[in-house]
Amino acid sequence: MTDLLYTEIENDLRASVREVLEDKAPWTAVLAGTEKDEPHDAALWTAVAAQLGCAGLPVPEDLGGAGASWRETAVVMEELGRAAAPVPFLTSSVVATAALLAAGERDLLGRLAAGEAIAVLAVPFAAAPGADPAAGPGRAPTVSGGALTGAVAGVADGMAADVLLVPAAGGLYAVDAAHARRTAVTSLDMTRRLADVAFDGAPARPVADGPDAVRAALLTGAALLASEQLGIAERCLDDTVAYVKTRYQFGRQIGSYQALKHRLADLWTSITQARAAARYAASCAAAADPDLPVAAAVAQAHCSAVAVKAAEECVQMHGGIGFTWEHSAHLFLKRAKADSIALGSPDRHRAALAALADLPPA
């Protein structure tokens, strides 16, 4: 049985990442950033990706990375979720990196690991593992004579990308983002913005043949997204518990009321279960375990709902202040809601799990 407990190295990594986020990305700074035109916090990205070396955690040392694994990467995802950090870590350091690792690509992977470039898989953010990316909104990209033409809607961090990895003609192609026409779209979660991307004869370099690289990217992304959702849920629970201990109504702490105690206890139980599911999914990804499709489906089916529930409880138990723009709760609610449809909805993952377990449809 895989040991799901955090190692000393993972705990040290968590402490380092949290220290940087508390210094450079307090929720007030994250909120202020949502009102700017920048697609991400470039200074924070440099600190996390390059200075801490988090972008290269799953990349082997001979390819320019840290030679760690997806388990350590998942710890970073937890902390980024806890801060609702506006950086393209999921899209570049997880999804795109997983695609390049599966493809055996070296040069671009080294640039990503060093934090020198941001790559994004050009598929709709809602694309689930096993789905056909070409079936999403837009004109499915095609390649002719080394030139790529088509469009993809709803690409997460599309405006932040230096390189776009585009599934086309049954393979995967790298396109310099300067050769794409990118249009920012209104996003629910302004800490991870979406963009519509179009190509009109853009020079494209083949990276991988066949669908395996894209499948690996989406599956790894779904598995590690659960860790981000865990981080969101834990932050919401911590903030809510701290608030109910200090907020008084009718002469007593509101946290002393049994109804709120029960709701928080139920939420704590759900988060504990979510931690087990997220850790197992990350461990399966790290070990290339054949159980990864099942683990990712279980993690997403459970962790998505837990993150949304934790954020909703945070808003409600904070009362009137929880509904205001001047409070952090809405940042986590929006991130949780957006994550719940990213890389496949919970219903989509439950259906996938039923198929993997050979259960008949209801």
Side-chain angles (χ1 to χ4, degrees):
M1 180 64 185
T2 301
D3 185 356
L4 303 183
L5 297 178
Y6 296 101
T7 66
E8 183 178 352
I9 292 175
E10 289 169 343
N11 286 327
D12 289 345
L13 174 63
R14 180 191 306 281
S16 297
V17 174
R18 185 173 296 188
E19 182 179 2
V20 168
L21 292 173
E22 288 177 346
D23 178 49
K24 297 183 178 298
W27 75 265
T28 49
V30 174
L31 177 60
T34 64
E35 299 180 343
K36 299 178 182 178
D37 292 332
E38 289 81 1
H40 70 291
D41 187 329
L44 178 61
W45 173 246
T46 298
V48 172
Q51 294 172 3
L52 283 181
C54 293
L57 284 173
V59 179
E61 290 183 273
D62 62 336
L63 297 179
S69 76
W70 292 117
R71 277 181 60 124
E72 290 80 8
T73 308
V75 170
V76 178
M77 287 289 292
E78 288 181 33
E79 291 305 308
L80 295 177
R82 187 181 180 88
V87 292
F89 191 84
L90 170 66
T91 48
S92 184
S93 302
V94 177
V95 176
T97 296
L100 295 174
L101 284 170
E105 207 281 342
R106 299 182 66 92
D107 294 338
L108 179 55
L109 193 58
R111 293 173 60 203
L112 297 192
E116 297 171 356
I118 296 170
V120 169
L121 185 65
V123 298
F125 195 35
D132 180 5
R139 295 176 289 112
T142 59
V143 177
S144 177
L148 190 143
T149 300
V152 184
V155 177
D157 291 323
M159 299 299 293
D162 300 305
V163 178
L164 294 161
L165 301 178
V166 189
L172 187 65
Y173 294 81
V175 177
D176 190 318
H179 295 139
R181 186 172 66 256
R182 295 176 289 175
T183 305
V185 298
T186 301
S187 308
L188 170 63
D189 177 15
M190 292 299 287
T191 65
R192 180 180 288 137
R193 307 186 190 195
L194 306 181
D196 293 340
V197 181
F199 309 93
D200 187 10
R205 176 174 65 87
V207 172
D209 294 325
D212 290 348
V214 175
R215 288 174 180 169
L218 295 177
L219 186 58
T220 304
L224 267 70
L225 179 61
S227 293
E228 176 174 290
Q229 292 163 330
L230 171 62
I232 295 168
E234 289 181 327
R235 171 64 180 270
C236 290
L237 177 62
D238 289 348
D239 285 357
T240 305
V241 169
Y243 180 77
V244 300
K245 286 181 178 180
T246 57
R247 175 65 169 143
Y248 280 74
Q249 283 283 13
F250 306 109
R252 59 187 288 191
Q253 293 172 332
I254 63 173
S256 67
Y257 290 99
Q258 191 174 41
L260 295 189
K261 286 182 179 180
H262 285 180
R263 287 166 63 179
L264 289 170
D266 287 344
L267 186 57
W268 180 87
T269 302
S270 296
I271 292 174
T272 301
Q273 295 168 338
R275 184 179 300 110
R279 289 292 290 169
Y280 182 62
S283 293
C284 285
D289 193 306
D291 201 36
L292 177 58
V294 171
V298 169
Q300 275 303 299
H302 182 67
C303 295
S304 290
V306 171
V308 171
K309 179 64 174 178
E312 290 174 343
E313 291 285 59
C314 182
V315 171
Q316 291 183 16
M317 292 194 196
H318 275 82
I321 189 65
F323 289 85
T324 67
W325 190 256
E326 290 76 18
H327 194 273
S328 61
H330 67 92
L331 291 172
F332 301 107
L333 179 60
K334 291 170 184 174
R335 173 65 73 93
K337 284 284 191 180
D339 280 1
S340 70
I341 60 173
L343 301 172
S345 67
D347 283 346
R348 172 67 176 77
H349 286 284
R350 280 189 284 269
L353 182 60
L356 290 166
D358 198 24
L359 296 175

